[in-house]
Amino acid sequence: MTEDTTGEHEFDPSEYDTTITRTFDAPREAVWAAWTDPNQVAEWWGPQGFTVPDCEVDARPGGAFSIDMEAPDGTVYPDEGVFHEVVDPERLVSTSRAFEDDDGGYQLEVRNTVTFEDDGDQTHLTLEAEVVSATPAVEESLGGMEMGWSQSFEKLEEYLDESGDART
């Protein structure tokens, strides 16, 4: 938030750009599959307490995704977008759109770049989330973006740990 001369803050969506790096005790191919297979995405996507009742992922350049996150109170938060770059199993670049307004436009658009670095039986993952556009109406949600991704990665770690026996 930037202060202007009246003491009000000026909304600057780029202040919410986020980079998170995490190491997973799983081979890169397993972490890649957890990001590109809709059945696996549905197991870990979203903050703690959220579920994914509907998930479609077409991980190819120009392919679309649609992920519905359901909050503990039953509210469904649809997220959809398109893949721009898919380099199996190294890099995913996509644009995500959420918070549809009454006119069918989106109040939030984020460009996500996810890189998967192989390190033997571990994978170093980096997520760069660049807020392309946002309205002040979603400022509170943007404020929770880093926490939401961190919680999603905790769930991904648990999922990979639990599914590890199936990979061997």
Side-chain angles (χ1 to χ4, degrees), residues 23-53:
T23 299
F24 295 96
D25 287 324
R28 178 167 64 172
E29 290 73 18
V31 179
W32 175 268
W35 275 79
T36 57
D37 174 356
N39 294 323
Q40 293 187 56
V41 171
E43 293 293 322
W44 63 269
W45 193 271
Q48 294 294 341
F50 282 67
T51 59
V52 176

Side-chain angles (χ1 to χ4, degrees), residues 153-165:
F153 287 170
E154 289 169 13
K155 289 170 59 178
L156 174 57
E157 186 169 37
E158 291 169 14
Y159 172 75
L160 290 167
D161 288 348
E162 291 169 6
S163 63
D165 293 337

Side-chain angles (χ1 to χ4, degrees), residues 3 11 32 55 60-61 67 81 111-112 119 129 148:
E3 292 284 331
F11 176 62
W32 175 268
C55 182
R60 61 182 174 83
I67 303 170
R111 183 177 179 92
N112 295 304
D119 187 8

Side-chain angles (χ1 to χ4, degrees), residues 55-125:
C55 182
E56 298 174 25
V57 177
D58 182 8
R60 61 182 174 83
F65 64 88
S66 175
I67 303 170
D68 288 346
M69 291 188 307
E70 186 172 344
D73 69 2
T75 304
V76 175
Y77 297 94
D79 183 23
E80 61 182 51
V82 64
F83 290 99
H84 304 290
E85 187 179 337
V86 178
V87 181
D88 183 353
E90 300 172 5
R91 180 178 165 94
L92 289 171
V93 179
S94 64
T95 300
S96 170
R97 295 178 302 273
F99 301 105
E100 193 171 353
D101 63 23
D102 294 338
D103 298 325
Y106 292 93
Q107 298 182 70
L108 177 62
E109 185 173 345
V110 179
R111 183 177 179 92
N112 295 304
T113 301
V114 186
T115 55
F116 304 78
E117 183 184 338
D118 186 25
D119 187 8
D121 288 337
Q122 293 187 321
T123 303
H124 304 294
L125 183 142

